[in-house]
C-alpha cells in the first residue's frame, strides 16, 4: 500500500521586476549623438565667426589697423638670427669635457 501525498505544482514565470538594458543603451547612444551634433553646430558657428573676423580685418584701412609694426618684426628676426649663429657656433666647437671612460 502506497500513500500518495499531494505535490505542489511548480509555477515558473518571468519576474515582473527586471531591468531592461536596451533602454539604457538607447539613452547612451542618443546622448552621444546629441553631443556630437551640438559639437558640430558649435564648431560651424565658431568657424563662421572667425572667418568673418579675418575678412573684416582686410577691409579696414591699412594705416589705422596696423597689427604688426616693422620695428617689432625686425627685432624678432634679429633675435632669431642671433640664435642661429649661437647654435652653429655650439655645433661647430668641440666638447671641452673629455670622456673618462675612453
Amino acid at each position: 500500500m502506497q500513500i500518495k501525498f499531494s505535490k505542489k505544482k511548480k509555477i515558473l514565470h518571468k519576474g515582473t521586476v527586471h531591468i531592461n538594458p536596451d533602454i539604457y543603451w538607447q539613452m547612451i547612444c542618443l546622448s552621444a549623438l546629441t553631443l556630437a551634433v551640438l559639437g558640430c553646430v558649435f564648431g560651424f558657428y565658431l568657424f563662421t565667426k572667425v572667418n568673418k573676423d579675418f575678412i573684416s580685418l582686410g577691409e579696414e584701412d591699412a594705416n589705422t589697423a596696423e597689427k604688426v609694426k616693422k620695428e617689432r618684426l625686425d627685432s624678432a628676426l634679429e633675435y632669431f638670427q642671433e640664435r642661429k649663429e649661437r647654435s652653429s657656433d655650439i655645433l661647430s666647437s668641440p666638447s671641452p669635457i673629455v670622456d673618462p671612460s675612453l
Side-chain angles (χ1 to χ4, degrees):
M1 180 163 132
Q2 289 183 346
I3 301 174
K4 294 185 179 180
F5 294 105
S6 64
K7 293 182 182 179
K8 286 186 175 181
K9 291 184 180 180
K10 292 184 180 180
I11 301 173
L12 299 175
H13 57 82
K14 276 190 167 181
T16 57
V17 180
H18 66 283
I19 297 173
N20 187 1
D22 291 336
I23 295 172
Y24 294 107
W25 277 111
Q26 288 174 357
M27 287 173 37
I28 290 171
C29 290
L30 184 64
S31 62
L33 181 67
T34 304
L35 285 174
V37 168
L38 287 175
C40 290
V41 168
F42 177 71
F44 182 74
Y45 167 73
L46 197 60
F47 172 74
T48 55
K49 185 173 176 115
V50 168
N51 200 13
K52 285 180 184 176
D53 286 344
F54 281 127
I55 290 172
S56 67
L57 285 178
E59 293 173 356
E60 292 177 4
D61 188 19
N63 295 332
T64 59
E66 187 177 338
K67 295 292 180 185
V68 179
K69 295 184 180 182
K70 185 167 176 54
E71 296 84 24
R72 289 183 62 199
L73 185 62
D74 289 338
S75 67
L77 289 174
E78 185 179 313
Y79 170 75
F80 285 112
Q81 184 64 30
E82 290 175 5
R83 295 271 313 255
K84 182 179 177 183
E85 291 172 1
R86 276 194 246 153
S87 297
S88 64
D89 289 342
I90 291 171
L91 290 175
S92 65
S93 67
S95 175
I97 300 174
V98 178
D99 189 12
S101 65
L102 297 175

